[in-house]
Each structure stands twice: as C-alpha cells, then as structure tokens.
Amino acid sequence: VDSKFSRLSESVYWIVATFTTTGYGDLYPVSSLEKGLAVLFMLVGRVLFAFILGNIASTLANADFEKMQFHEELVAATETLEERGVLGHCRNVIRYYEALWQTGRLVQAQEMMQDLPS
C-alpha cells in the first residue's frame, strides 16, 4: 500500500511540476508530504499568475474599448453637425476633443456636447 501511495505522489508531483513548468531543480521534495505541499504551492502559484495576467489583459482591453467608443461618438457628432450645416462653427471644439482623444485623455460625450454652441 505504501509503495502505491508513494508512486502516486511521485506521479502527481511529476505531472504538476511539468504542467506548471516549475521544473525539478536542485532542491526537490523527498517525502510524500513534501511532494503534496510542493504540488499545492505550484498550483497556487499558477492560479495566482493566471489571475494577475488576466487582470492585466482585461485592463488593456477595456482601455481600447473606451477609446474606440469615444472615437465612434466623435465621428457621429461630427456627421450630425455636418448634416445640420453647423460644422464650420464647431470645428475648433471638435478638433480640441479629437486632440484629447489622440493623447489618451478621454472625455465624456455629454461634456463635449455642452461645449458646442447652441
């Protein structure tokens, strides 16, 4: 029974060490308890790494989405003003907000609309 448990703990340790790309290194667990703890720490480390990487990717994706949404709103506002024949009067305001968009300092569409002449 002990040899089966020992082989099982060695197998699980080998699988997790390979899966998490931790490797085997100069220091390695000897007893079944050490192997169990090593497996636990490797899995916790992998989950923590995935969580951090996922948050970074989510943050970058949301930033791009906000920029695209703002650009679409700016284009729609420009087209509406052009259709109504008032684009010439508002061109400097639109250029100002377009410059803000290009430099990464986003603004809300309502704020932009408040600055336009009525």
Side-chain angles (χ1 to χ4, degrees):
V1 174
D2 187 40
S3 64
K4 287 183 180 181
F5 182 74
S6 177
R7 284 191 291 170
L8 177 65
S9 67
E10 287 178 25
S11 299
V12 169
Y13 170 76
W14 182 82
I15 289 169
V16 173
T18 303
F19 170 71
T20 60
T21 64
T22 303
Y24 311 103
D26 296 334
L27 300 174
Y28 54 90
V30 178
S31 72
S32 295
L33 177 63
E34 291 172 347
K35 289 176 186 170
L37 287 174
V39 166
L40 177 68
F41 290 140
M42 285 186 272
L43 291 176
V44 167
R46 180 58 68 171
V47 167
L48 187 61
F49 179 74
F51 177 76
I52 291 170
L53 200 59
N55 280 336
I56 291 171
S58 176
T59 300
L60 293 174
N62 287 338
D64 288 343
F65 175 74
E66 289 174 1
K67 282 185 176 182
M68 289 299 295
Q69 185 179 13
F70 177 78
H71 182 67
E72 289 173 4
E73 290 174 358
L74 187 63
V75 168
T78 304
E79 290 173 355
T80 302
L81 293 172
E82 190 173 13
E83 288 172 5
R84 295 183 181 182
V86 293
L87 181 60
H89 303 328
C90 304
R91 193 169 301 277
N92 289 337
V93 174
I94 291 175
R95 285 182 184 154
Y96 167 73
Y97 282 103
E98 192 169 16
L100 285 179
W101 174 76
Q102 289 175 351
T103 59
R105 294 178 292 172
L106 298 175
V107 293
Q108 298 295 325
Q110 289 177 344
E111 180 183 332
M112 183 180 85
M113 291 300 183
Q114 289 173 355
D115 287 347
L116 294 174
S118 33

